[in-house]
Amino acid sequence: MSTINSQTIHGKVKVGDQAPDFTLSDQHGNQISLSDFQDQKAVVLYFYPKDDTPGCTTEACTFRDSYEAFKDAGAEVIGVSSDDAESHRQFSTKYHLPFALLSDEGGQLRKLYGVPTTLGLIPGRVTYIIDKQGVVRHIFSALFAAEKHIEEARKVIKDLTDQA
């Protein structure tokens, strides 16, 4: 089951926007909503092209290796791709990923956030940093710089923590 709250947002989410809420299933069949973290944790919401591909594996494992630092800074990491829950479960198990991987089958959430495709074929790699109030504070998009997403996210989360 998935619920995408399209409210009045059409097109591309920008820094300063209220992040659109959603509810999607993770690799264990749990329903995860962005609003679950409201007033509790910042969220590192990263969209990636496909489970168990070289760049996506590098990105997921680098997020895994930094996961405790994100948690210590009061942030939750959530990955999103169009793969189904079983694919996510296998990917998560194989690489011991401690965070949720959400199934955006059909790409509704990707479209709502305005995540681009490359050459009209490859789903984009975009990371959104969302503060505790649900406001998008940073967006980083780079298909071929998977590890840079984690560097950017750590820097922004640290800045948010320092401001609090």
Side-chain angles (χ1 to χ4, degrees):
M1 179 193 139
S2 69
T3 305
I4 309 296
N5 181 3
S6 62
Q7 31 195 30
T8 58
I9 296 175
H10 299 285
K12 192 170 185 172
V13 173
K14 299 180 289 310
V15 170
D17 287 351
Q18 191 71 30
D21 196 17
F22 57 83
T23 302
L24 293 172
S25 295
D26 73 2
Q27 68 267 39
H28 306 293
N30 301 316
Q31 297 294 301
I32 306 286
S33 298
L34 181 61
S35 58
D36 294 342
F37 303 97
Q38 185 89 27
D39 298 323
Q40 296 177 42
K41 293 182 176 188
V43 173
V44 177
L45 182 67
Y46 82 96
F47 290 84
Y48 64 99
K50 187 152 183 54
D51 290 341
D52 218 0
T53 57
C56 297
T57 299
T58 296
E59 182 179 29
C61 290
T62 306
F63 269 121
R64 176 201 63 205
D65 296 345
S66 297
Y67 185 66
E68 288 303 316
F70 283 111
K71 280 184 63 170
D72 290 348
E76 186 57 52
V77 175
I78 300 173
V80 180
S81 82
S82 296
D83 294 303
D84 64 21
E86 179 58 24
S87 175
H88 284 336
R89 189 188 63 70
Q90 290 176 9
F91 184 48
S92 177
T93 300
K94 182 176 181 178
Y95 294 103
H96 309 286
L97 305 179
F99 47 84
L101 298 177
L102 304 183
S103 295
D104 182 27
E105 294 182 67
Q108 286 183 291
L109 187 61
R110 181 177 292 278
K111 288 177 192 136
L112 179 61
Y113 272 72
V115 177
T117 57
T118 302
L119 303 173
L121 301 170
I122 302 168
R125 183 184 314 279
V126 180
T127 300
Y128 296 83
I129 309 301
I130 302 164
D131 70 14
K132 290 180 184 181
Q133 290 71 44
V135 176
V136 177
R137 294 296 175 194
H138 187 77
I139 300 169
F140 182 73
S141 178
L143 185 61
F144 301 109
E147 292 178 42
K148 183 83 170 142
H149 286 260
I150 293 82
E151 293 172 33
E152 288 282 317
R154 286 190 66 176
K155 182 176 80 95
V156 174
I157 292 295
K158 181 184 181 314
D159 290 347
L160 288 175
T161 303
D162 290 347
Q163 293 171 11

